[in-house]
């Protein structure tokens, strides 16, 4: 990437960050797979294969989504080292609070998106 492109990218990122903190949040959780993982974890801790089944994600896709969510402190990874080794994923406090905010967004979508609206076409 050229110096000009990098400079332009930094300018865009600064404008987005100063425009609204929501942009930063969307960068952290704004992919469909990450949202599916967050939704699946609202029922409690799950192991990798349980998440794979509940989200329908491929291993690599799920692994990438979990890595990003762990890095953003939305999901916590817990390992039990008893034989056999088991790895569990769950929402952090930050992740639980995010689900509350997403519930409000879901309500908004149901109110305004005809696809979800009870009065809209099905």
């Amino acid at each position: 990437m050229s110096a000009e492109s990098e400079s332009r990218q930094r300018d865009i990122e600064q404008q987005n960050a100063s425009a609204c903190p929501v942009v930063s949040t969307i960068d952290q959780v704004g992919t469909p797979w990450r949202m599916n993982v967050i939704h699946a974890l609202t029922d409690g801790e799950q192991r990798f294969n349980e998440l794979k089944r509940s989200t329908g994600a491929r291993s690599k896709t799920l692994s990438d989504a979990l890595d990003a969510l762990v890095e953003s402190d939305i999901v916590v990874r817990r390992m039990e080292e008893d034989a056999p080794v088991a790895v569990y994923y769950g929402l952090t406090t930050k992740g639980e609070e995010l689900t509350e905010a997403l519930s409000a967004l879901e309500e908004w979508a149901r109110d305004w998106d005809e696809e979800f609206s009870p009065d809209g076409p099905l």
Side-chain angles (χ1 to χ4, degrees), residues 27 72 105:
D27 282 344
S72 296
L105 185 60

Side-chain angles (χ1 to χ4, degrees), residues 3-25:
E4 184 177 325
S5 296
E6 289 177 19
S7 175
R8 174 75 177 129
Q9 183 63 33
R10 280 193 305 276
D11 289 346
I12 291 169
E13 289 171 3
Q14 288 174 345
Q15 287 174 340
N16 287 344
S18 65
C20 185
V22 173
V23 173
S24 174
T25 302

Side-chain angles (χ1 to χ4, degrees), residues 66-92:
L66 285 167
D67 288 347
L69 291 168
V70 168
E71 185 177 317
S72 296
D73 192 35
I74 293 167
V75 169
V76 64
R77 181 180 188 268
R78 179 177 66 85
M79 186 181 337
E80 288 185 2
E81 296 189 20
D82 297 334
V85 173
V87 178
Y88 293 88
Y89 296 90
L91 294 174
T92 63

